[in-house]
Structure formats: C-alpha cells, structure tokens
Amino acid sequence: MKDAAVKHENLQEKCFVLQTQNRVLETEITELKSLLETQSGRVSELELLIKWYQEKLRLNAHKQYGASSEQTSNYEQLGFFDEAEVTADKKAPEPDLEQITYKRRKHVGKREEDLSGLPVETAVHELPKKEQVCPECGEPLHVMGKETRRELTVIPAQIKVTEHVRNVYSCRNCEKAGADVPVVKAPMPEPVIKNSIASPSAVAHIMANKYVMHNPLYRQEQEFSRMGLPLSRQTAANWMVTASDNWLSHIYELLRKELLKNSVLHADETTLQVLKEPGRKARAASYMWLYRTSEDDNHRPIALYEYQETRSSSHPKKFLDGWRGYLQADGYAGYHGLESVTNVGCWAHMRRKFDEALKSLTPEAQKDSMALTGLELCSRLFAEERAFEQRLLTTRRRHWRF
C-alpha cells in the first residue's frame, strides 16, 4: 500500500509538471502567433511602402528623362478608341500612284491667299524713249504684253526724333494799348511720360517686343545701339514701369470690372522669383495669380495677372470681392473659402493624376489598371469636346454637354 501511495504521488507530481509545461507552451504559442501576425502585418506594410517607392522612382525617372507630353499614344491598351479596327476598311481599294501624287500637290492659289492682306506697290520697268525703236526698221515699238514677278519687300524699323513745336499767340492791339495781353497756346498732345523723350510708339514697341515677342531688354538695348540710339535697358525698364503705373493700371481696372461681369471664371497661381525685391531674399517664392473669362460667356476673352508675395487665400477674396458665379481651379483650398462662389473642378488636372498613376506602374500592371480606365475616359471626353468645338457654336456645345 505504501508503494502504491508513493507511485500515485509521483504520478500526480508528473501530471502537475506536464500541465505546467503545457500552459507555458500554450502561452508561448499564443505569443508566437501574435508576433507572427504582427510581423506579417509589418511585412505587408513594408511591401506596400517598397511598391510605393518604386512607383515614385518610376514616375520621377519619367519626369526627368521621359517625354513631358501627357499623350496616351505610348500605352499599349486604348480600348475606347480602337482606331485601327474602327477606321480600317478592307474592301476599300488601294490608291494608285496618280491619286497619291494629286493629293500631295500644292494648293493652287495659296501664295495669293497668303499675300492678300498686304499692300501692293507696283514698279513698272520701261525702255528709255530713245530705245523704243525697232532694231530692224527703226519704227516705234508698242507694248504687246507684260511680264509680272512678285517679291516681298521688307522695310526695317526706323527711329526718328519728332519735335513738337507749339505756337504761342498774343494780341498786337492789346500790346499797343498797354492792357493785359492774352496769351493763347495751340493744343499739343501730352507726353506719355513727363520730362522724358519717351513716346507712345516707343514704349509700345519696347513692351510688345518684351512681352509678345519675348525679346529681353538687353537684346533690345543691343538692337537700338545698332540702329544708332544709345538707349540703356534701365531707361527702357523705367519707361515700362512708369507707363504701366500712369496708364495701363486704369485699363487693368476697367478690364477687371468687365471680367467680374461673367458668370464663369478660371483661376490659377504659379510661383516665380523676383530679384532685388526690398525686404525679401532673392530665393523667396512669390506668386503670379491668373484670372480669366470663359469662352462660353464672352467672345472677347480677358486674362488678368496679379502679382502677390504669398499664396494666401486673401488675394482671391480681395480680387473677386462681390462676384458671384462658378470658379474653375486646380483644387487649391485657397479658393474654397470664397463667399457666393461655386468651385468646380478641372478635368485636365484629374487626367494628369491618372497619367501620373499610370506612369508609376510597370508595363504589365498598366494593362488592367483603373488608372488606364480613368485616362481613357478623360481622353475620350476631350476628343468629343474637340470634335464638337470644330462644328458647333458655343450655345450648341453647352446644350450638348447637359
């Protein structure tokens, strides 16, 4: 009996040890499972992060080395268009060489059409009177026909000095009588800039060359020097600034009032650097704000630029103060706080996001991606707009859209 009791006690002790070990193993298994789940989640996060970095690298490489165009012709799949399948007509005969040559022939009368808006100066070439005799019989010659040749004549720009001389009048009779002598001056146009040799034509020429022809002032300075006028770029810059403050600022305000009469406007802002700006570093970012009318509202488009040092939303609030309508922008939050303004999105910016998402994918992943579907939808919409723009008036296009 004593041995049986000892054996029973030993068995109980072994069972207790085994139960304790089992509980420890269960705890360790639970901890390992939890650790495995945590590590699996972390691995998934790292895989997504690596994939995101790979997409960013592909997109940055395309921006740096690839084409800047957002055309969709480089992608393999464009299911919405299927241009080859839709356009192809196997029953149509091949054009022969004569037809191809005829189609490529130069348009008859194109030169006359191109020159139709230019003034024509005729130079008649005649024989001297003493040579208008027949070399055989000596009788006078007559004009039996004419040969005509046309050429372009370019008259270079000329610079001249215009002296405005104004007559001043007085009364001889009043001078003899010793009374107050009235002095009458002939009218004379006011100078565009007081105490300056600048004329309206000179200032307009410099402005048009700089902002229309993109000819910087230092090149204009060289051009003026070749024409015999030592006009420095500093003087030209002063003329533009002074004329803008004195004259163009009033035109700008009138255009702003006309712009705010429209129900649909477009807005955008872009960074630029201004050198030697008082109180600011040369590398400080400034902003040029743009406000433009919509083609649907006005057949005379108005585009106004406004320079500001910051991108604060207070600038569009001030510029559009009191205006009501639809404002189309790129989604910048600075436009969203405007009162009585309905913000609308831009399909071009949305399409750009699809394009960037597609460029960040591998060629295999591009084929069945949602980015390609979105890009095709936007491209199809733009193609429809271009087609209707060519053959429909503005009111018809608006009706078609809705």
Side-chain angles (χ1 to χ4, degrees), residues 153-191:
T153 302
V154 178
I155 302 176
Q158 298 179 353
I159 300 177
K160 64 181 181 180
V161 177
T162 301
E163 291 185 351
H164 293 273
V165 180
R166 176 165 60 180
N167 291 334
V168 181
Y169 302 89
S170 65
C171 178
R172 292 286 189 185
N173 185 50
C174 292
E175 290 176 358
K176 295 178 180 179
D180 293 336
V181 180
V183 177
V184 181
K185 297 181 180 181
M188 185 171 62
E190 292 291 331

Side-chain angles (χ1 to χ4, degrees), residues 220-375:
Q220 296 192 49
E221 179 182 11
Q222 297 171 356
E223 184 179 358
F224 283 129
S225 178
R226 289 192 293 268
M227 299 172 69
L229 175 64
L231 182 66
S232 67
R233 72 190 77 173
Q234 290 80 10
T235 301
N238 292 337
W239 286 1
M240 289 197 302
V241 172
T242 304
S244 299
D245 292 338
N246 295 346
W247 302 99
L248 298 184
S249 60
H250 304 289
I251 300 176
Y252 183 93
E253 287 301 321
L254 291 175
L255 290 174
R256 176 177 171 272
K257 292 179 180 179
E258 288 295 322
L259 179 137
L260 296 180
K261 293 179 181 179
N262 294 268
S263 59
V264 179
L265 295 179
H266 303 267
D268 196 10
E269 73 289 335
T270 185
T271 58
L272 76 159
Q273 289 184 349
V274 180
L275 301 178
K276 298 181 181 180
E277 194 172 13
R280 304 192 72 202
K281 297 181 180 180
R283 295 185 178 181
S286 302
Y287 288 86
M288 185 66 74
W289 297 74
L290 168 65
Y291 304 91
R292 191 190 188 283
T293 58
S294 174
E295 294 182 358
D296 288 350
D297 279 350
N298 199 331
H299 64 281
R300 294 177 299 178
I302 300 175
L304 297 179
Y305 292 85
E306 184 183 47
Y307 169 76
Q308 296 292 349
E309 295 181 355
T310 66
R311 203 188 183 192
S312 171
S313 60
S314 60
H315 304 313
K317 286 182 180 179
K318 182 178 179 181
F319 188 92
L320 301 173
D321 183 33
W323 177 72
R324 296 174 178 267
Y326 296 91
L327 182 66
Q328 187 177 51
D330 57 1
Y332 172 49
Y335 300 110
H336 295 167
L338 304 178
E339 298 180 358
S340 304
V341 174
T342 302
N343 288 273
V344 296
C346 174
W347 278 104
H349 286 84
M350 178 177 290
R351 183 186 183 279
R352 185 172 303 161
K353 297 302 179 183
F354 287 130
D355 181 75
E356 292 179 354
L358 195 62
K359 290 174 180 176
S360 66
L361 301 176
T362 61
E364 294 76 13
Q366 289 178 359
K367 296 179 181 179
D368 300 323
S369 65
M370 295 297 295
L372 181 58
T373 302
L375 185 65

